[in-house]
Amino acid sequence: MTTTTTMTSTVSVMPTNLVHIIDDDEAICDALVWQLHTRGIECTVWSNAEDFLDALQPEWVGCIVLDIRLNGMSGLACFDALIENQCQLPVIFITGQGDIQMAVCALKKGAFDFVEKPFNHNDLVDRVLTAFKLSDERRRIEASREVVEERLASLTPREREVMDLILEGRYNKVIANQLVISMRTVEAHRSHIFNKMKVRSAVELAQLLTVMKE
């Protein structure tokens, strides 16, 4: 494995977005690293998939540029391992002329994109920047999901019951009858739910919870 920065810095203090290049072709790596650096993008180079998978951390952000054909573990096998590990980093495959069908299969499995050799390095960097946007959006959704989960955890079992009925569009009177409680109790639960979930209405509550389905 060779890197453009020391692994101590890339592991302990990760850049906001980092490109992990996994390729055993030194010439391609050098050219791509140079192009990325001219665009102000940090990157790390891995000469094989095994080393990358051994070092992979769930908090890493950015994207992966992965050669579909590698010595040792193939790029496709590496991608399967990334899927198994629920890695959220977008993957851009580098392919040869005979690898298009494999690349299409990888896209169906969730790969972000692929480029065919010989490729324009500047165009590849453009795709990296697009992959960064996807990575940022995934992190935003994940952060939002964690916030919503914390708020949901603060609700009592009874408040969860009332919330579910609110989300079904039930009126307070109907909720009171169904749960065999008073209207005033339902109103108190509704107020507590809105306060804990930090929303002002049932519509906002429903919108907030859509993040859990993304």
Side-chain angles (χ1 to χ4, degrees):
M1 178 191 71
T2 59
T3 61
T4 59
T5 56
T6 65
M7 285 310 298
T8 299
S9 63
T10 58
V11 172
S12 60
V13 184
M14 291 297 295
T16 301
N17 278 304
L18 181 71
V19 183
H20 293 275
I21 305 169
I22 309 175
D23 199 326
D24 49 21
D25 188 323
E26 189 172 343
I28 287 179
C29 290
D30 288 345
L32 185 52
V33 166
W34 180 85
Q35 190 67 48
L36 287 165
H37 281 173
T38 63
R39 302 277 290 270
I41 301 171
E42 293 296 321
C43 57
T44 300
V45 177
W46 306 81
S47 59
N48 62 75
E50 292 88 344
D51 285 344
F52 173 76
L53 291 173
D54 285 343
L56 180 63
Q57 299 295 318
E59 66 269 19
W60 286 2
V61 297
C63 73
I64 300 169
V65 175
L66 176 60
D67 196 336
I68 207 164
R69 293 186 183 275
L70 295 167
N71 292 321
M73 176 184 284
S74 71
L76 287 177
C78 177
F79 184 57
D80 287 340
L82 292 172
I83 294 173
E84 185 176 346
N85 288 324
Q86 299 182 328
C87 176
Q88 295 298 306
L89 296 174
V91 175
I92 301 171
F93 273 104
I94 297 175
T95 70
Q97 290 185 345
D99 301 329
I100 301 301
Q101 189 59 46
M102 287 191 290
V104 171
C105 289
L107 289 179
K108 292 179 179 178
K109 288 184 176 181
F112 176 73
D113 204 349
F114 72 90
V115 293
E116 186 179 358
K117 300 175 185 176
F119 53 84
N120 181 298
H121 288 83
N122 204 48
D123 288 344
L124 178 54
V125 175
D126 288 340
R127 299 192 195 194
V128 163
L129 292 174
T130 303
F132 280 176
K133 292 179 181 179
L134 174 60
S135 179
D136 291 343
E137 179 64 12
R138 286 177 175 174
R139 277 188 291 153
R140 183 195 66 77
I141 291 173
E142 187 60 33
S144 298
R145 184 180 289 114
E146 289 176 1
V147 168
V148 173
E149 287 176 346
E150 288 177 1
R151 294 178 187 176
L152 286 172
S154 71
L155 300 178
T156 66
R158 176 60 89 182
E159 287 169 349
R160 288 295 293 264
E161 286 183 307
V162 173
M163 184 186 73
D164 290 341
L165 293 172
I166 290 172
L167 292 171
E168 291 176 8
R170 308 290 179 86
Y171 294 112
N172 286 354
K173 182 178 180 180
V174 175
I175 296 173
N177 290 336
Q178 185 165 340
L179 298 180
V180 194
I181 55 179
S182 69
M183 282 271 291
R184 181 168 296 182
T185 300
V186 173
E187 290 168 357
H189 283 317
R190 179 185 287 264
S191 177
H192 293 157
I193 292 165
F194 287 0
N195 286 336
K196 289 181 178 180
M197 297 302 293
K198 303 188 186 305
V199 297
R200 293 170 295 179
S201 67
V203 172
E204 286 189 10
L205 178 61
Q207 291 173 339
L208 179 68
L209 293 176
T210 56
V211 73
M212 304 301 292
K213 301 176 182 179
E214 294 179 339

